[in-house]
Amino acid sequence: MSLLQDAVSFTGLFPEAVVCGTVMAAVCSAFGVFVVLKRIVFISIALSEAATCGLALALVYHFSPLAGSALVTGAVVFMLTLPEKRQHLPKDVVLGTVFLLASSASVLLVAQSGFGLEEIKAMLYGDLIVSSPRDRWVLLLTGVPSLAVLLLFLRPVLYAFLDREAACVMGIRCWFWEGLFFFLLGLVVSGASKSGGALLVFCLLVVVPATALLLARRLWAVIGISVALGVLTTWAGLLTAYSADLPANPTIIGLSCLLLMGVALIRAIAVKFIARR
Amino acid sequence: MNGNPVIQCRGVTIAYGRDVVLDRIDLTVPRGTLLPFVGPNGAGKTTLLKACLGLIPHQSGEILCDFGRRPPAYVPQQKQLDPIYPVSVHDLVCMGLYPERGCWGRLNSGQRARIEAVISRFGLAPHQHKHFGELSGGLRQKTLLARAVVTQAEVLVLDEPTAGLDASSEEGLLTLIRALHETEGKTILWVHHRMDQCAALARQVCRVDKHGVRLADVSEVTT
């Protein structure tokens, strides 16, 4: 009963946190399935950091946070879609450099701005609790259409990722679908970074879909479970943080990681048990 | 089926950066042939076929391809597909129908029947709902070949289809490849290393080495 009361009371006090958390969790967890499948986890953390850097830029120079994060994320996405041959460096090195540059630039920009430590922390780690109606609209206008486009064109995107060369021979324009995916991913990360912060966005893009992949064997089921787990862990994290007076985003991240470890452990035991029988 | 050559290369040069792999080569591949591409590692066998499929650009020369009414079907090595993807054998064979179905098309009864026929022909019926990653190397390669066959393409291009397979899987796959050529008259171009198997299956081979590219009688190469 107390849990229900807490849930009602939390929703009444922080409706934007619930809406923003739900939208962000649903969208990032769905996109994350492809991030994990394509083994581009490092790209997602680099994009999250680039979006944070854009937010810092917007904060210092007083322009729209979405424009700031979209600008920097867009530049990184453009760089990533260039053929590897033109980059003259392994992609891992490029991503690592982007990650480091974006992280340090975020801290330096905010440090130079005269804002306090709390602003820097809020910028880097995000805080769902303080989400505003503006954040809600940004998330709805970037995340929902992006997810709709991804689901609408799921087939060519999947085929381009699964077997690029065979797909190209079939007439699928792989470069277009890959570029579209990265563009949408950049948009989603830009929209989610202000409320979620780099760490929560990264968690929803990686940890939650990885858990779903352990639980299901068909793509649609994986996407559905990933979205459901993302939303449920976000709600559970928000409620736990409210009840125990903890910061919301790290609580959601902690719960997601515990869930992944739990599912991985149970699966390993189940596989051994089935093998013995 | 027309009588034009499937592929005509005239003075084609292919390079990776400054590293020239094939230099001003000429080649004509006749229709309806089962043609293994043989040669030492790094000679450019796979590169040549990929250039013909439009997967790799060529620096100079001309490549004319006439693959017939449908796009060719490409069969990569099974290890090129990441087993992490949550797709079944059936899903992968369905992928072959993308040119007909497009982004949103559902399978019609004729397409379903074609898929079932190909799956049972390749002995994949008991495995059709299994996750691709759970299959043995031989079954994975059969699945990729089934995906190529379901397209009804006239030309199949296979990149070392038996690489990493055990002897019995290799034998089974080669039997299927031969049957596709003999019973359906498909043009099959494939990269292969085992000359003894080439001799058993084909009359001609395409030899790719440092001297260039040329069609040779299989007996000439094996002796």
Side-chain angles (χ1 to χ4, degrees):
Chain A
M1 196 60 196
S2 154
L3 190 71
L4 190 65
Q5 280 172 344
D6 277 354
V8 172
S9 147
F10 177 80
T11 310
L13 282 171
F14 304 104
E16 303 302 344
V18 176
V19 176
C20 287
T22 306
V23 175
M24 187 193 306
V27 174
C28 291
S29 304
F31 269 86
V33 171
F34 287 92
V35 169
V36 176
L37 288 177
K38 199 163 164 58
R39 299 185 191 264
I40 50 171
V41 167
F42 211 28
I43 287 182
S44 68
I45 187 71
L47 285 181
S48 308
E49 284 297 336
T52 308
C53 180
L55 287 174
L57 205 65
L59 196 69
V60 173
Y61 293 103
H62 308 288
F63 59 94
S64 153
L66 177 63
S69 55
L71 188 76
V72 181
T73 314
V76 175
V77 166
F78 175 73
M79 207 166 67
L80 294 176
T81 49
L82 284 177
E84 211 156 324
K85 271 187 282 179
R86 280 201 202 168
Q87 292 180 4
H88 301 295
L89 281 171
K91 208 158 228 172
D92 287 0
V93 175
V94 175
L95 287 172
T97 309
V98 167
F99 171 77
L100 289 170
L101 186 66
S103 309
S104 56
S106 309
V107 176
L108 290 173
L109 278 168
V110 184
Q112 283 296 306
S113 68
F115 291 105
L117 188 62
E118 285 307 310
E119 281 87 355
I120 297 178
K121 275 170 64 182
M123 174 72 62
L124 297 182
Y125 303 115
D127 196 350
L128 267 178
I129 296 291
V130 296
S131 300
S132 62
R134 185 191 167 90
D135 295 333
R136 179 192 59 197
W137 282 113
V138 166
L139 270 165
L140 285 170
L141 291 174
T142 55
V144 176
S146 300
L147 181 59
V149 172
L150 177 69
L151 296 180
L152 208 57
F153 297 104
L154 194 67
R155 197 179 286 169
V157 171
L158 171 69
Y159 291 167
F161 282 12
L162 174 67
D163 189 352
R164 193 178 198 283
E165 290 182 334
C168 288
V169 173
M170 276 177 202
I172 297 173
R173 291 192 181 108
C174 294
W175 60 269
F176 172 78
W177 296 112
E178 284 169 351
L180 180 73
F181 176 80
F182 282 120
F183 170 76
L184 295 175
L185 181 64
L187 202 61
V188 165
V189 170
S190 307
S193 284
K194 184 168 177 293
S195 306
L199 286 185
L200 180 57
V201 172
F202 181 54
C203 168
L204 291 169
L205 285 173
V206 175
V207 178
V208 176
T211 313
L213 273 164
L214 291 175
L215 292 170
R217 294 152 58 91
R218 304 302 296 270
L219 185 66
W220 277 106
V222 171
I223 293 173
I225 291 174
S226 184
V227 169
L229 287 180
V231 172
L232 287 175
T233 49
T234 301
W235 287 348
L238 285 172
L239 202 56
T240 309
Y242 176 68
S243 309
D245 196 19
L246 294 168
N249 293 18
T251 309
I252 299 169
I253 295 167
L255 280 177
S256 305
C257 293
L258 284 175
L259 185 67
L260 173 62
M261 288 191 281
V263 169
L265 188 69
I266 291 168
R267 195 170 186 269
I269 293 168
V271 167
K272 271 200 169 176
F273 180 72
I274 291 165
R276 269 192 196 169
R277 288 191 68 185
Chain B
M1 196 182 287
N2 64 47
N4 298 337
V6 174
I7 296 169
Q8 278 183 291
C9 298
R10 292 179 195 145
V12 172
T13 299
I14 306 169
Y16 292 113
R18 288 180 189 167
D19 183 16
V20 176
V21 182
L22 296 164
D23 191 16
R24 286 169 291 169
I25 59 134
D26 296 305
L27 174 71
T28 300
V29 176
R31 192 166 297 277
T33 183
L34 173 65
L35 188 65
F37 282 59
V38 297
N41 284 337
K45 306 178 291 291
T46 302
T47 301
L48 174 59
L49 282 175
K50 284 186 177 176
C52 295
L53 292 172
L55 295 171
I56 294 175
H58 56 283
Q59 265 60 39
S60 61
E62 191 178 35
I63 301 178
L64 298 172
C65 296
D66 180 359
F67 294 121
R69 285 175 294 113
R70 293 173 188 272
Y74 176 64
V75 181
Q77 289 182 35
Q78 47 91 10
K79 63 185 179 193
Q80 282 190 12
L81 263 75
D82 193 336
I84 194 178
Y85 280 83
V87 288
S88 64
V89 169
H90 190 271
D91 295 336
L92 260 169
V93 177
C94 281
M95 180 182 170
L97 296 178
Y98 180 84
E100 294 172 41
R101 294 166 74 202
C103 285
W104 305 295
R106 296 174 71 87
L107 289 174
N108 60 35
S109 54
Q111 289 167 336
R112 268 198 215 99
R114 253 162 70 194
I115 289 171
E116 274 175 32
V118 170
I119 282 179
S120 60
R121 176 179 179 184
F122 282 71
L124 292 166
H127 312 285
Q128 63 175 317
H129 299 300
K130 282 188 186 165
H131 192 289
F132 182 72
E134 289 173 0
L135 303 177
S136 66
L139 286 174
R140 285 186 196 182
Q141 199 67 60
K142 273 188 185 175
T143 305
L144 297 181
L145 192 58
R147 180 184 67 182
V149 170
V150 85
T151 64
Q152 295 184 329
E154 291 170 25
V155 180
L156 304 186
V157 179
L158 290 67
D159 185 12
E160 298 192 49
T162 57
L165 302 189
D166 59 47
S168 81
S169 303
E170 197 174 15
E171 186 60 39
L173 203 71
L174 292 175
T175 307
L176 283 169
I177 292 170
R178 181 169 27 200
L180 283 170
H181 172 64
E182 287 175 357
T183 60
E184 296 180 27
K186 291 195 187 295
T187 305
I188 300 180
L189 313 176
W190 58 319
V191 177
H192 201 53
H193 283 290
R194 297 267 307 270
M195 279 312 301
D196 54 330
Q197 290 172 340
C198 292
L201 290 169
R203 267 177 275 169
Q204 271 192 316
V205 294
C206 178
R207 187 157 181 86
V208 183
D209 55 25
K210 61 184 177 183
H211 303 298
V213 177
R214 68 193 167 92
L215 292 186
D217 201 78
V218 77
S219 57
E220 183 190 325
V221 182
T222 46
T223 48

